[in-house]
Amino acid sequence: MLENKYTESVLPNGIRLIHKGKKGEIAHLVLMVETGTRDELAHENGLAHFVEHTIFKGTVRRKAYHILSCLDNVGGDLNAFTTKEETCIQATFLKQHYQRSLDLFADIAFHSTFPENELAKEKEVILDEINSYLDSPSDEIYDLFEEMVFKGHPLSRNILGTNDLVKGFKRQDILDFMAHNYSTDQMILASIGDISFHEFERLTMKYFGDQPAHLINKKREVFKNYQPERRIAKRNNHLSHCIIGGLAPEFGSPLRMPIVMLNNVLGGPAMSSRLGLNIREKYGFAYSIESQYTAYGDTGLINVYMGVDPDSLEKAIGLVYKEIDKLCQQKLGTMQLQHAKQQLIGQVALSYESGMNELLSATRSLLMGEPIEYMDDIIRNVEEVSAGDLLEVANQVFDKKQLSQIVFEGFEN
């Protein structure tokens, strides 16, 4: 029997399991660990991301080729990513390959050998990744903005690290970092697919159950003492790039949904966002303009990014502040509010259609100590947001005295 909700349990070693039965040929699997860039020491910057890359480079049982081809050969997809707060391995595959996938996940998570020759090759890959970011001002400016906002705190660090630090990483650095940060009770193994929870639990016990508990009393440094700042840097680019923003509430805040909606109205993915309609469509000042809300465990960040012609930079910045002022001074009308709600609900529903996005969202919620939000919960929470709520949070996060700004000035034509 398939479940409409996630079923949860905990293995004897502390690894948490969640699974939701869903009819269909495709299944999704996620192993998420509460370890990211903010858990690194200064000399370890980039090490969490380095682990994510090198964990696929060989185990006691498999060489790198066998790891990469294990799901590839049966049409599956294996991937991973690192954030400031999590490391995640994910896979999508045909449902008959659950056993193969769980076997692979357990092998790379607990039996990777990190061979020196593979580490040397992967360093070159990551150095290329770092340089590609530096070649992209729209990527680089985000990293510098977080570095400025979270100055002096681990959240300020670049996920990729630096060229010099990455070059110096040794195999022992990886083993030490994992010993200090990879705790079994801070791991969640999550699944969506056409099997019962009983079968999923049986398979996870087979492949993960013998792994001994590794418990760590890890405490993250809480971010405080934000100081707004403004910076201008010259870049040899045809476009000028700008980010304006500041702090926002954390992931578990009751204000998170109003801020998600506010961000969506201002500069979310829809072409009809206020920034898109005004600065791009009406004036043609920016090809790329968007706002973004990022929620961390103890704080958050909201910002507006744009890439504009240098001749139009000051006008575009003025228009951004004008749109922010409107959100702080004028409540959305009844029709505007309803449109904002319908748009957000539709976007979430479409993103959840893939299954993997839903699974990642559910897993991260649990990792953050929050309940899983089902589509019905999301709809209810969206419908409960009032125009007054949006006005209140706009004034909280867009207080001009608390906004930071960074500009990469391009050269004028």
Side-chain angles (χ1 to χ4, degrees):
M1 180 179 176
L2 298 180
E3 306 86 4
N4 291 321
K5 302 286 186 181
Y6 288 95
T7 304
E8 304 177 34
S9 69
V10 183
L11 297 182
N13 55 24
I15 298 174
R16 285 176 284 173
L17 308 181
I18 62 169
H19 171 73
K20 188 172 91 167
K22 183 179 181 181
K23 286 194 175 295
E25 295 301 312
I26 303 301
H28 306 283
L29 187 66
V30 161
L31 178 63
M32 191 175 288
V33 188
E34 194 177 7
T35 295
T37 308
R38 73 177 298 175
D39 300 300
E40 300 164 345
L41 301 175
H43 69 277
E44 296 175 327
N45 185 206
L47 196 48
H49 177 254
F50 192 56
V51 170
E52 175 236 308
H53 270 244
T54 55
I55 206 167
F56 297 98
K57 297 306 173 182
T59 70
V60 174
R61 293 167 46 207
R62 292 177 170 95
K63 293 187 180 297
Y65 167 78
H66 298 114
I67 291 171
L68 298 178
S69 62
C70 181
L71 291 181
D72 230 24
N73 287 349
V74 292
D77 178 63
L78 176 67
N79 214 331
F81 63 84
T82 308
T83 73
K84 297 277 175 102
E85 297 190 315
E86 304 97 25
T87 303
C88 181
I89 304 169
Q90 62 186 71
T92 298
F93 47 89
L94 292 174
K95 65 181 180 182
Q96 60 263 38
H97 300 305
Y98 256 105
Q99 186 157 316
R100 174 188 288 249
S101 302
L102 286 163
D103 177 27
L104 178 65
F105 270 45
D107 197 25
I108 59 182
F110 296 109
H111 304 294
S112 287
T113 54
F114 306 104
E116 292 285 2
N117 63 317
E118 293 289 347
L119 299 187
K121 287 190 288 187
E122 204 59 28
K123 283 181 185 180
E124 294 302 316
V125 172
I126 293 174
L127 293 175
D128 285 344
E129 189 176 358
I130 291 171
N131 291 331
S132 74
Y133 265 72
L134 295 176
D135 282 344
S136 172
S138 60
D139 291 325
E140 183 193 5
I141 197 169
Y142 271 104
D143 288 332
L144 289 180
F145 186 74
E146 288 208 334
E147 180 184 303
M148 183 173 74
V149 169
F150 297 121
K151 188 189 305 181
H153 187 272
L155 281 172
S156 70
R157 296 181 191 136
N158 187 311
I159 291 171
L160 302 181
T162 67
N163 283 317
D164 289 342
L165 287 174
V166 170
K167 287 176 184 177
F169 289 152
K170 302 286 192 298
R171 181 175 182 274
Q172 192 59 48
D173 296 326
I174 292 174
L175 298 178
D176 291 343
F177 181 76
M178 294 185 75
H180 294 139
N181 292 283
Y182 277 62
S183 171
T184 50
D185 65 344
Q186 293 174 342
M187 295 181 178
I188 297 177
L189 188 63
S191 160
I192 290 180
D194 195 358
I195 63 171
S196 68
F197 180 76
H198 174 76
E199 178 65 6
F200 177 66
E201 190 174 39
R202 184 188 71 79
L203 290 171
T204 55
M205 276 298 297
K206 177 178 178 180
Y207 293 107
F208 288 81
D210 291 341
Q211 181 63 30
H214 181 57
L215 309 180
I216 302 166
N217 185 22
K218 183 172 69 176
K219 291 187 178 179
R220 287 173 165 169
E221 179 186 344
V222 175
F223 176 70
K224 334 180 232 196
N225 303 322
Y226 166 66
Q227 294 294 326
E229 188 176 338
R230 300 200 169 197
R231 289 186 195 173
I232 297 176
K234 296 287 186 181
R235 288 291 187 275
N236 189 27
N237 302 317
H238 286 283
L239 288 181
S240 290
H241 301 264
C242 175
I243 291 185
I244 300 164
L247 295 187
E250 71 281 4
F251 187 89
S253 169
L255 297 178
R256 183 162 63 96
M257 184 57 76
I259 292 176
V260 168
M261 191 183 300
L262 181 78
N263 175 72
N264 214 45
V265 169
L266 177 62
M271 294 180 69
S272 60
S273 72
R274 291 190 176 191
L275 293 176
L277 285 177
N278 193 1
I279 296 171
R280 175 172 173 160
E281 298 301 325
K282 184 176 180 180
Y283 291 98
F285 285 159
Y287 169 72
S288 177
I289 185 160
E290 62 184 8
S291 62
Q292 183 175 347
Y293 168 49
T294 305
Y296 295 114
D298 57 335
T299 187
L301 192 65
I302 191 165
N303 58 261
V304 173
Y305 159 79
M306 58 185 166
V308 301
D309 185 278
D311 294 333
S312 305
L313 177 63
E314 291 305 317
K315 292 176 185 176
I317 290 174
L319 287 170
V320 168
Y321 279 107
K322 186 175 178 181
E323 291 301 327
I324 287 172
D325 284 343
K326 284 182 186 176
L327 289 174
C328 293
Q329 295 166 9
Q330 301 172 14
K331 283 185 179 181
L332 266 63
T334 303
M335 292 299 293
Q336 291 175 318
L337 181 62
Q338 193 57 32
H339 170 74
K341 290 179 177 181
Q342 290 174 348
Q343 186 180 71
L344 182 55
I345 289 168
Q347 288 171 356
V348 174
L350 287 173
S351 74
Y352 273 24
E353 190 65 21
S354 75
M356 180 56 79
N357 287 335
E358 177 192 346
L359 190 60
L360 289 170
S361 176
T363 309
R364 187 165 189 251
S365 290
L366 284 183
L367 211 57
M368 289 283 190
E370 298 297 319
I372 294 173
E373 284 187 314
Y374 296 95
M375 199 62 216
D376 289 347
D377 300 321
I378 293 170
I379 292 171
R380 184 177 63 255
N381 291 336
V382 168
E383 292 293 357
E384 287 176 355
V385 175
S386 69
D389 294 332
L390 295 179
L391 190 68
E392 181 181 341
V393 296
N395 280 278
Q396 178 177 327
V397 300
F398 289 131
D399 178 354
K400 285 185 181 178
K401 294 177 182 177
Q402 295 299 313
L403 293 179
S404 292
Q405 180 175 307
I406 186 167
V407 172
F408 285 175
E409 287 188 341
F411 58 84
E412 297 183 5
N413 297 319

